[in-house]
Amino acid sequence: MTAVTAAGPVSEADTQTLDRYWRAANYLAIGQIYLTANPLLAESLQPEHIKPRLLGHWGTTPGLNFIWAHLNRAITANDAEMMIVIGPGHGGPAALANTWLEGSYTDTYPSVQRDSAGMHQLFRQFSFPGGVPSHVAPEVPGSIHEGGELGYSLSHAHGAAFDNPDLIVACVVGDGEAETGPLATSWHSHRFLNPASDGAVLPILHLNGWKIANPAVLARLPEDELDALLRGYGYEPAYVTGSHDHVPHLEMAATLDAAIGRIRGIQAEARAGRPQTGVRWPMIVMRTPKGWTGPVEVDGLPVEGTWRAHQVPLAEVRTNPAHLRQLEEWMRSYRPEQLFAVDGSPHPDLLRHVPAGTRRLGSSPHANGGVLLRDLDLPDFRDYAVLVQAPGARESEPTKVLGTMLRDVLKRNEVQQNFRVVGPDETESNRLTAVLEVTGKTWEEQTLPVDRNLAPDGRVMEILSEHTCQGWLEGYLLTGRHGWFSCYEAFIHIVDSMFNQHAKWLKVARQLPWRRPVASLNILLTSHVWRQDHNGFSHQDPGFIDHVMNKKAEVIRVYLPPDANTLLSVADHCLRSRDYVNVIVAGKQPNPDWLDMDSAILHCTRGAGIWEWASSDGDGAEPDVVLACAGDVPTLEVLAATDILRRELPDLRVRVVNVVDLMRLQPATEHPHGMSDAEFNALFTADRPVIFAYHGYPWLIHRLTYQRDGHNHFHVRGYKEEGTTTTPFDMVMMNDMDRFHLVMDVIDRVPGLAPRAARLRQQMTDLRSRARSWTREYGEDLPEVRNWTWSGR
Ligand SMILES: Cc1ncc(C[n+]2csc(CCOP(=O)(O)OP(=O)(O)O)c2C)c(N)n1
């Protein structure tokens, strides 16, 4: 049979080539799961040819191989530039088999040639200690998506497509994956895709019917209901159905050509200045058996087309001769002697549809984004400095100041089109509003006169799904661009797990010389725990930092700039950095400006340092106490406490230390930013009390410093899960991090001070009581607290 598709005829010979390629990929996938020797079945299989531990996932693999084979043809026939994102990334054997067949694997890893020795190595290394992982991990060329943790394929694929007008990202979505929250919300992503200036995503919903042990919901919906659901998401679904007896090569070829034709049609209209509303992007629903072409039954139980095919269908091959025989029959059913020459190389004719060079899915430069990465054209951050004539003499809203700089980053990179700002509906709430002076918020749907700042080509991307924001940005970064994510501090926890996966990706990618560095993932956390005046307890959670700290030191950075100028300096540094996750916690509420720009730069370069202008330990003298702070609100309270101490106990030598780069606290052996013990002791002393006011949960500071000489003298105040909707000062009092309590802490900890400072201590208790009753009576903080400023003593 032949068919004429949108890209021309597909002949009988074409389908045979596709089928031979597919059989070869299936054979290679099974070889990876089972064999450690005898790759071409030159002799009959023996137990010693079988791996001692059988690991990997067969079930999804033949479907993935089928898709890859057809994408090859579609790329060649349509002269298309494509990339693949594999949601069920546990189908690693498929990606490895296909990249080996097409030659991109050997290009990346010359030690694995396309011959029998290479095939042997391909098989042996899979899921083997010292070899390669079972998933579509960073080690796999052509991948930006591991797929180990399910749910992020569509958002990653869209991130890759933004600002890549010639790229079509084929995105395989598992029917199990489709049940996850992140995937379910990411169907909306195409509503943020601009057909004029972005590429396209072609979702391929892989309805193989099952997950590990259960049916998949979408696979059991009545056909009309599934169709209505996908249409409701704005897609034009096309269906390709295969079975044990029918391999739908012609249908798949025609459907792919039609989908590419439709994508190009939509783009051509938009690019000719005729944008349409209600664009329906194509998608493919591919219904094929799980474990397709594998054993139909094992030990009398059905396997092909059931959940039993998910991992390793024949589990006892080494010990059960019947299983071993069945494996050999299964592998020989692909007729390897017709697919591979005696030297193990694939017969050239089965590679006829494989595209050339960087058009191969495993060689797409987009999937190794660092090779395409261009530096941002950054303005001089010093131009946005707030003027600070004296520490604390005036106030500004740090994120609002940062907004002016980000605005100009957007503007200067308008031509490069390689910078986007994402956030879950909070860009304005987080006071980055200035960015909207030069761009809009991406919006392709209907608009109403009351809408503000929406634009089809907007570069600020807002969707109320932290998952989708994070997924878009990861996809955008991994394909060689830059971005900025701003989020309420409490709700960044929603993407804890996505952050984990991205940090793991970076850790592994950094060890692969062929993966070029990508721009860092910059996460600005604002509307933070201490200033949730509108919202209260549900919005008070600084724990993301603790979570981030679990990841490899080489990929994570945490910054707590205490004011506007330090935030600018930190932001500039983060925008220039590569291969990190930078977490920046900064306030949006009016906050004293402590440092002029020159001092801010010096302080941020040090990462932690003595604020001499605030300290009274003088040159050469050892302090009686160190008041340390990290975070804007802790810094304010520490300075207010210092002010009291210097006024009331003028003989006490107080040293104020501010930490902007939290990683400085770690030992130099643990983090590249870590301080040596000598440096640490010089700053914090080895034996004086250190009262440390910290933005987040106090135990983190102990965790970071427990090996230091002076650790026993560290007393940390921070958020201890006390909160509600109340005044800013009541919040710090609820957590004992207020200035009055810090003074009490000093009195309690400095040896010999308690007896002579008893009156002051009592005053502090009284002031706390007074401050508290004031809030209860007047609904705001005490005037002397609200209006306190650094006296410059
Ligand atoms: C978020 C998440 N939860 C659970 C798992 C464990 N898991 C691995 S594969 C799988 C089933 C996946 O089904 P589907 O997406 O349909 O893939 P396929 O059937 O094609 O293998 C599950 C639940 C996971 N990897 N990620």
Side-chain angles (χ1 to χ4, degrees):
M1 244 175 66
T2 59
V4 179
T5 75
V10 180
S11 67
E12 178 73 28
D14 289 330
T15 55
Q16 276 179 17
T17 302
L18 285 162
D19 202 66
R20 282 162 62 69
Y21 178 98
W22 183 46
R23 276 159 45 205
N26 286 340
Y27 178 87
L28 292 169
I30 301 158
Q32 291 175 69
I33 294 172
Y34 285 100
L35 299 190
T36 184
N38 192 17
L40 285 160
L41 298 184
E43 53 180 305
S44 157
L45 271 185
Q46 303 300 321
E48 59 270 26
H49 300 150
I50 307 298
K51 293 184 174 178
R53 296 160 72 241
L54 298 179
L55 306 163
H57 298 81
W58 162 248
T60 193
T61 296
L64 298 177
N65 286 339
F66 183 78
I67 291 167
W68 199 300
H70 277 269
L71 290 174
N72 281 344
R73 195 208 60 86
I75 291 167
T76 311
N78 294 277
D79 190 18
E81 186 180 8
M82 296 188 80
M83 192 181 143
I84 189 167
V85 170
I86 296 176
H90 42 281
L96 292 161
N98 284 282
T99 51
W100 187 82
L101 272 178
E102 68 184 23
S104 43
Y105 199 82
T106 304
D107 290 352
T108 313
Y109 301 102
S111 62
V112 186
Q113 287 293 313
R114 271 196 295 179
D115 56 18
S116 59
M119 192 192 291
H120 179 225
Q121 172 66 10
L122 181 78
F123 289 3
R124 197 184 143 74
Q125 68 182 13
F126 176 77
S127 285
F128 204 80
V132 302
S134 59
H135 284 61
V136 191
E139 288 89 340
V140 179
S143 173
I144 59 160
H145 175 89
E146 149 124 13
E149 185 168 287
L150 301 168
Y152 318 132
S153 60
L154 261 187
S155 56
H156 282 167
H158 281 83
F162 296 136
D163 296 318
N164 263 330
D166 300 325
L167 183 67
I168 300 176
V169 187
C171 177
V172 187
V173 178
D175 48 6
E177 181 191 14
E179 292 171 18
T180 64
L183 195 290
T185 183
S186 65
W187 289 116
H188 295 306
S189 296
H190 73 81
R191 300 185 187 278
F192 295 80
L193 206 58
N194 181 356
S197 51
D198 293 329
V201 174
L202 177 61
I204 303 174
L205 177 62
H206 191 193
L207 280 193
N208 61 13
W210 306 89
K211 297 168 288 195
I212 299 176
N214 283 290
V217 173
L218 292 187
R220 295 287 174 98
L221 295 188
E223 282 176 16
D224 58 340
E225 227 174 273
L226 177 65
D227 192 72
L229 177 73
L230 299 173
R231 283 178 191 279
Y233 280 133
Y235 289 100
E236 182 70 42
Y239 296 85
V240 174
T241 303
S243 67
H244 177 74
D245 300 315
H246 174 61
V247 183
H249 285 304
L250 281 179
E251 295 93 314
M252 187 65 171
T255 305
L256 273 174
D257 287 349
I260 293 171
R262 188 181 178 90
I263 287 168
R264 287 182 168 166
I266 294 167
Q267 292 175 336
E269 285 295 300
R271 291 170 195 185
R274 294 187 294 273
Q276 303 143 290
T277 47
V279 167
R280 272 187 187 283
W281 292 95
M283 71 169 289
I284 297 175
V285 180
M286 193 179 97
R287 197 187 284 271
T288 55
K290 190 153 182 167
W292 201 8
T293 73
V296 175
E297 273 191 8
V298 177
D299 300 333
L301 295 170
V303 174
E304 188 195 26
T306 78
W307 51 271
R308 289 197 187 87
H310 182 69
Q311 286 189 345
V312 179
L314 292 158
E316 297 158 17
V317 193
R318 259 195 156 194
T319 50
N320 179 337
H323 280 200
L324 184 65
R325 221 174 23 255
Q326 203 176 351
L327 173 63
E328 180 157 352
E329 279 164 24
W330 174 21
M331 294 194 76
R332 290 202 190 277
S333 74
Y334 300 104
R335 284 159 279 152
E337 67 287 355
Q338 296 176 4
L339 309 174
F340 305 102
V342 188
D343 69 356
S345 60
H347 280 304
D349 69 295
L350 67 82
L351 303 178
R352 193 159 53 87
H353 295 308
V354 170
T358 54
R359 282 285 172 92
R360 290 171 298 175
L361 292 170
S363 296
S364 168
H366 298 287
N368 183 10
V371 299
L372 301 176
L373 184 67
R374 294 180 62 187
D375 289 350
L376 282 174
D377 176 4
L378 290 175
D380 186 338
F381 67 96
R382 293 171 298 191
D383 292 346
Y384 306 87
V386 295
L387 189 67
V388 181
Q389 272 159 342
R394 49 160 283 177
E395 288 188 331
S396 49
E397 296 148 77
T399 56
K400 189 170 170 191
V401 176
L402 175 69
T404 59
M405 175 171 137
L406 291 178
R407 172 197 65 204
D408 293 348
V409 177
L410 283 161
K411 202 154 127 197
R412 292 167 82 108
N413 295 281
E414 214 170 272
V415 178
Q416 292 196 169
Q417 299 272 296
N418 63 347
F419 180 68
R420 292 199 182 218
V421 173
V422 301
D425 188 34
E426 292 160 5
T427 306
E428 287 148 292
S429 170
N430 290 338
R431 306 205 182 159
L432 300 174
T433 322
V435 295
L436 298 173
E437 290 167 23
V438 296
T439 187
K441 293 183 281 184
T442 323
W443 194 256
E444 310 298 325
E445 298 300 316
Q446 293 178 33
T447 54
L448 298 174
V450 69
D451 294 333
R452 275 185 317 160
N453 299 319
L454 304 182
D457 59 354
R459 307 194 64 74
V460 173
M461 307 202 66
E462 297 200 327
I463 182 170
L464 211 175
S465 160
E466 285 78 2
H467 289 120
T468 308
C469 291
Q470 171 88 8
W472 284 347
L473 185 52
E474 288 177 359
Y476 198 65
L477 299 174
L478 291 171
T479 49
R481 285 76 65 74
H482 308 256
W484 192 270
F485 183 8
S486 85
C487 189
Y488 283 5
E489 184 183 39
F491 302 143
I492 194 68
H493 273 304
I494 291 168
V495 300
D496 274 5
S497 207
M498 292 184 81
F499 152 79
N500 282 345
Q501 299 303 324
H502 189 71
K504 285 172 192 287
W505 181 280
L506 292 177
K507 180 207 176 256
V508 176
R510 289 165 71 95
Q511 292 156 1
L512 300 168
W514 61 272
R515 282 221 179 252
R516 309 307 304 149
V518 294
S520 300
L521 169 59
N522 299 311
I523 303 178
L524 171 69
L525 301 182
T526 181
S527 305
H528 64 52
V529 53
W530 299 109
R531 297 304 307 273
Q532 274 298 343
D533 307 9
H534 282 283
N535 295 300
F537 200 34
S538 63
H539 286 51
Q540 290 158 348
D541 195 308
F544 188 66
I545 303 175
D546 302 69
H547 178 71
V548 163
M549 289 302 306
N550 295 329
K551 286 287 157 289
K552 276 312 239 198
E554 68 230 38
V555 296
I556 54 146
R557 303 287 183 267
V558 179
Y559 299 100
L560 295 144
D563 69 357
N565 285 338
T566 48
L567 175 59
L568 288 170
S569 171
V570 164
D572 176 76
H573 180 76
C574 293
L575 287 168
R576 291 174 194 278
S577 72
R578 300 285 182 266
D579 277 349
Y580 299 147
V581 180
N582 295 308
V583 178
I584 307 164
V585 188
K588 66 179 185 182
Q589 303 287 355
N591 177 73
D593 296 315
W594 304 114
L595 302 186
D596 61 40
M597 190 42 102
D598 288 343
S599 314
I601 294 171
L602 277 177
H603 184 52
C604 291
T605 310
R606 291 187 203 111
I610 301 170
W611 280 6
E612 282 158 15
W613 50 269
S615 306
S616 59
D617 55 340
D619 259 358
E622 271 200 68
D624 297 313
V625 62
V626 176
L627 278 173
C629 45
D632 53 0
V633 168
T635 302
L636 174 69
E637 291 308 312
V638 156
L639 287 169
T642 306
D643 195 28
I644 297 170
L645 289 168
R646 292 185 60 180
R647 188 175 59 238
E648 303 295 334
L649 300 170
D651 298 339
L652 189 75
R653 292 189 305 271
V654 179
R655 173 181 293 177
V656 175
V657 172
N658 183 270
V659 179
V660 61
D661 173 355
L662 203 60
M663 301 300 104
R664 293 285 285 145
L665 296 180
Q666 296 214 55
T669 48
E670 296 297 319
H671 195 282
H673 290 190
M675 276 187 226
S676 67
D677 281 339
E679 244 182 309
F680 192 90
N681 289 346
L683 199 57
F684 291 102
T685 77
D687 54 2
R688 302 299 149 113
V690 178
I691 312 297
F692 200 128
Y694 168 57
H695 172 85
Y697 293 103
W699 22 98
L700 179 63
I701 300 300
H702 289 296
R703 187 174 145 195
L704 296 176
T705 57
Y706 77 97
Q707 290 173 315
R708 303 294 190 175
D709 296 337
H711 177 248
N712 281 348
H713 306 282
F714 268 63
H715 305 283
V716 187
R717 295 288 170 192
Y719 180 67
K720 42 188 189 184
E721 204 63 15
E722 291 294 338
T724 181
T725 311
T726 189
T727 64
F729 194 67
D730 198 35
M731 262 304 286
V732 286
M733 279 201 301
M734 286 174 80
N735 290 281
D736 296 336
M737 197 185 73
D738 57 282
R739 56 200 68 178
F740 305 133
H741 209 292
L742 296 176
V743 169
M744 287 156 59
D745 286 337
V746 170
I747 295 169
D748 294 347
R749 313 283 178 194
V750 173
L753 187 58
R756 68 185 171 94
R759 275 208 195 89
L760 178 62
R761 198 185 190 291
Q762 186 168 302
Q763 274 170 26
M764 293 298 108
T765 330
D766 295 350
L767 272 170
R768 273 170 59 93
S769 305
R770 186 169 124 77
R772 194 173 162 76
S773 356
W774 189 277
T775 60
R776 293 336 183 235
E777 188 159 354
Y778 300 104
E780 60 179 358
D781 286 323
L782 271 177
E784 63 255 44
V785 168
R786 260 187 294 132
N787 301 328
W788 175 85
T789 54
W790 175 252
S791 63
R793 202 176 306 280

